[in-house]
Amino acid sequence: MTTLNLDDKRRRSLNLSDQELATAGSLTCGLLRHFERSLGERPVMPTLNRGQLRELFDTPFPELGVGVERLFHDIKEKILPNCTTVAHPRFLAYVLGPPNGISPFAEAIAAALNQNCNFWQLSPAASVIEQKVVSWLASLFAYPATAGGIITSGGSMANLMALSTAMHDKAPVDLRTAGLSAVPAPLVVYTSTEAHRSIEKAAAILGLGLNNVRKVPVDSDFRLRIDLLERAIENDRKSSLIPFCVVAAAGTVNTGAIDPLDEIAELCQRENLWLHVDGAYGALFILSNRIKDQLFSCGRADSISLDPHKLLFAPLEAGCLIVRHQQKLRKAFHFASSYLTAEDDPALVNFLEYGPQLSRGFKAFKIWCSLQTFGIQAFRTAAEHMLDISEYMAQRITAEPSLELLAPVRLSAVCFGFKGSTSNTAILAKLVDEGTALLGPVHIAGRIGIRACITNYRTTRSDIDLILDRLLQLGECS
Ligand SMILES: Cc1ncc(COP(=O)(O)O)c(C=O)c1O
């Protein structure tokens, strides 16, 4: 029997032995298999309340670890049953998809490699992979060779960074040095009343002020009204304010409406405004043949936000910001520092120069692994499938005398309600409480309706039938 000296013991104390590694591997695979196979039967929402959950995790951390087997036992018994089953085929709330099959493995490997994706020396292959993923995403919209971008934590961060880049590009002063107070009048950003909250949030964070976010009304299809946008810009110029950016949506969060991108792009060109497209929800539907023509004009924007953690089924977190002129992104975020050995080689992309973070994880890896493992075609098929299912749901709702659509179904968001009823919220609450499905409420054109957003490649027509049949029953009893 070998005896370990103190150094060996300390070195090994945070490592797994060969036996533990094998156990952790097989228990992880077992857990993933069991989870995947039981998805449809799992409750969409757990039943324990917050107090019970606190109690469940009330025990102090052990001075001596519980070991691998006990850890996995606790994960299975305490954590798994108390998670929201986001991958459940009847989880249709928000815009949140399930992770694809290879992603848990990609995440584990990325954690082991622990690349710091800030500059070349700390992430050689990773930085090339991130560039490759970004340039593939940019190519979907035919962005030119000048384009570049960065993988972000999600659409909100991409929107924030886009607005910051736009400000640095369009402000009439050197914003970095002089700051906002040197700008002679407020900078104004334009978006629609249907824009995602992350736009206003970004404006607030960046010090633009919510008073300088114009929320332009939408038409009956929930698309930004170009005539009103034009008028708002004109009025602001007359008041000596400084219009600098328009944020259009390629898929609004509520209804999936696609703003009139070509007309907005032309207006922005005439008015010398930055055009940002918030494509976090919808832009990756460009993978679908039937929608791609409507989304292709996203490529006319100065920047676009995308969310691979939605339609590419990468697990959280994975967003992306693409900028038509990569150098403009760099202008907003690049800071030289003497203690970092980032090489000044134009062929290298040191990602620390393209965003606010220094230490950054290898988020591009799970996207790269997904595209490699399944191929682009699989994602095209998933996009078509989600559009098919939403169309089917819309057809069923239209055919049902007591139900009505509250908005046209352009992507995969279906907003509907009971005709002439004010009890949509109560009926939805019953459906959710009994665990049939998770759908969300939607506030639309002065009404509160029900919203299903199909962002899951597992959702089938039978799931939709089950949900609608049950809602109709609940509606009859209400
Ligand atoms: C249109 C739109 N923009 C931005 C976001 C925010 O994206 P994230 O949740 O990745 O930050 C969402 C999220 O659903 C969205 O639908």
Side-chain angles (χ1 to χ4, degrees):
M1 182 178 150
T2 52
T3 52
L4 296 175
N5 66 30
L6 191 58
D7 276 353
D8 283 338
K9 277 190 189 151
R10 285 189 176 152
R11 198 167 42 238
R12 286 189 52 171
S13 64
L14 287 174
N15 281 335
L16 298 183
S17 67
D18 286 351
Q19 177 59 47
E20 287 169 323
L21 200 57
T23 305
S26 99
L27 289 174
T28 302
C29 285
L31 186 145
L32 292 179
R33 193 181 314 113
H34 165 70
F35 185 61
E36 169 73 33
R37 304 249 155 99
S38 62
L39 272 179
E41 287 80 53
R42 302 188 81 80
V44 185
M45 291 289 297
T47 48
L48 293 193
N49 64 33
R50 202 171 293 202
Q52 291 168 313
L53 282 173
R54 279 217 191 92
E55 226 167 85
L56 192 64
F57 297 103
D58 203 23
T59 44
F61 288 113
E63 197 56 45
L64 298 175
V66 297
V68 171
E69 280 190 55
R70 176 66 208 214
L71 174 76
F72 272 83
H73 174 268
D74 288 352
I75 293 171
K76 201 166 167 201
E77 295 299 315
K78 293 184 179 180
I79 297 185
L80 229 58
N82 292 305
C83 285
T84 303
T85 312
V86 170
H88 193 290
R90 292 191 296 282
F91 177 100
L92 305 182
Y94 314 102
V95 192
L96 187 51
N100 64 59
I102 197 66
S103 289
F105 297 95
E107 288 283 71
I109 293 165
L113 302 176
N114 204 29
Q115 297 297 279
N116 198 340
C117 298
N118 48 18
F119 58 92
W120 173 261
Q121 193 187 40
L122 300 185
S123 50
S127 76
V128 174
I129 283 176
E130 182 159 351
Q131 267 179 276
K132 189 171 166 79
V133 168
V134 168
S135 75
W136 176 72
L137 288 167
S139 75
L140 296 175
F141 303 92
Y143 267 103
T146 53
I150 186 164
I151 299 298
T152 65
S153 56
S156 303
M157 183 52 89
N159 286 338
L160 174 69
M161 289 166 60
L163 279 196
S164 175
T165 309
M167 285 166 72
H168 281 78
D169 190 55
K170 297 293 185 191
V173 299
D174 174 1
L175 201 58
R176 173 172 295 193
T177 317
L180 261 181
S181 60
V183 181
L187 296 169
V188 185
V189 56
Y190 302 80
T191 191
S192 90
T193 47
E194 288 293 306
H196 190 261
R197 286 299 287 226
S198 57
I199 304 303
E200 282 183 291
K201 199 169 178 180
I205 293 169
L206 293 167
L208 289 166
L210 295 183
N211 284 345
N212 300 308
V213 180
R214 298 280 172 273
K215 301 192 80 181
V216 178
V218 291
D219 62 17
S220 56
D221 275 3
F222 300 93
R223 293 154 34 106
L224 183 147
R225 278 197 39 197
I226 189 87
D227 55 330
L228 298 183
L229 171 62
E230 218 163 346
R231 200 179 305 159
I233 295 169
E234 199 182 304
N235 286 342
D236 284 335
R237 287 213 198 276
K238 275 191 196 144
S239 311
S240 301
L241 304 182
I242 307 176
F244 81 103
C245 178
V246 177
V247 179
T252 56
V253 62
N254 274 344
T255 69
I258 301 169
D259 285 332
L261 300 173
D262 281 315
E263 287 162 272
I264 298 175
E266 272 144 38
L267 177 64
C268 286
Q269 213 164 4
R270 278 199 311 275
E271 294 282 341
N272 187 28
L273 304 179
W274 184 281
L275 172 57
H276 174 63
V277 170
D278 178 3
Y281 164 30
L284 281 172
F285 273 113
I286 198 161
L287 289 167
S288 142
N289 269 336
R290 81 179 90 160
I291 297 280
K292 74 173 184 224
D293 289 347
Q294 292 175 48
L295 290 165
F296 198 64
S297 302
C298 290
R300 296 185 66 179
D302 295 287
S303 55
I304 177 169
S305 299
L306 303 170
D307 251 353
H309 66 206
K310 295 184 168 61
L311 301 187
L312 294 184
F313 313 105
L316 297 166
E317 302 161 347
C320 180
L321 173 65
I322 294 166
V323 176
R324 167 174 293 279
H325 295 288
Q326 172 165 257
Q327 285 316 312
K328 295 191 175 180
L329 184 60
R330 189 171 185 274
K331 185 180 159 207
F333 291 104
H334 167 253
F335 267 84
S337 63
S338 56
Y339 62 93
L340 296 173
T341 53
E343 289 171 54
D344 214 6
D345 174 346
L348 298 180
V349 172
N350 293 309
F351 281 99
L352 82 162
E353 296 172 354
Y354 294 87
Q357 281 178 272
L358 174 55
S359 293
R360 311 177 54 243
F362 192 7
K363 293 189 200 319
F365 188 53
K366 54 197 168 193
I367 307 171
W368 184 84
C369 288
S370 307
L371 289 166
Q372 291 285 18
T373 307
F374 301 112
I376 301 167
Q377 189 59 54
F379 294 96
R380 292 191 199 287
T381 306
E384 297 292 356
H385 174 72
M386 293 183 293
L387 293 171
D388 279 344
I389 296 294
S390 4
E391 212 173 281
Y392 173 72
M393 187 167 193
Q395 280 162 5
R396 264 221 58 188
I397 289 166
T398 312
E400 232 22 276
S402 60
L403 296 176
E404 65 181 333
L405 286 175
L406 300 181
V409 175
R410 300 292 176 217
L411 298 174
S412 67
V414 184
C415 300
F416 66 103
F418 285 85
K419 273 186 195 157
S421 162
T422 50
S423 50
N424 288 326
T425 311
I427 297 169
L428 174 62
K430 282 187 199 151
L431 183 89
V432 173
D433 286 348
E434 70 181 21
T436 304
L438 189 70
L439 279 70
V442 64
H443 293 248
I444 197 164
R447 289 185 62 184
I448 303 180
I450 302 172
R451 176 177 172 279
C453 189
I454 290 108
T455 21
N456 190 337
Y457 53 86
R458 292 188 182 87
T459 305
T460 61
R461 288 175 182 228
S462 320
D463 291 310
I464 300 301
D465 287 339
L466 196 150
I467 292 169
L468 289 178
D469 291 347
R470 186 63 189 138
L471 273 173
L472 288 166
Q473 279 171 0
L474 292 169
E476 271 169 26
C477 308
S478 74

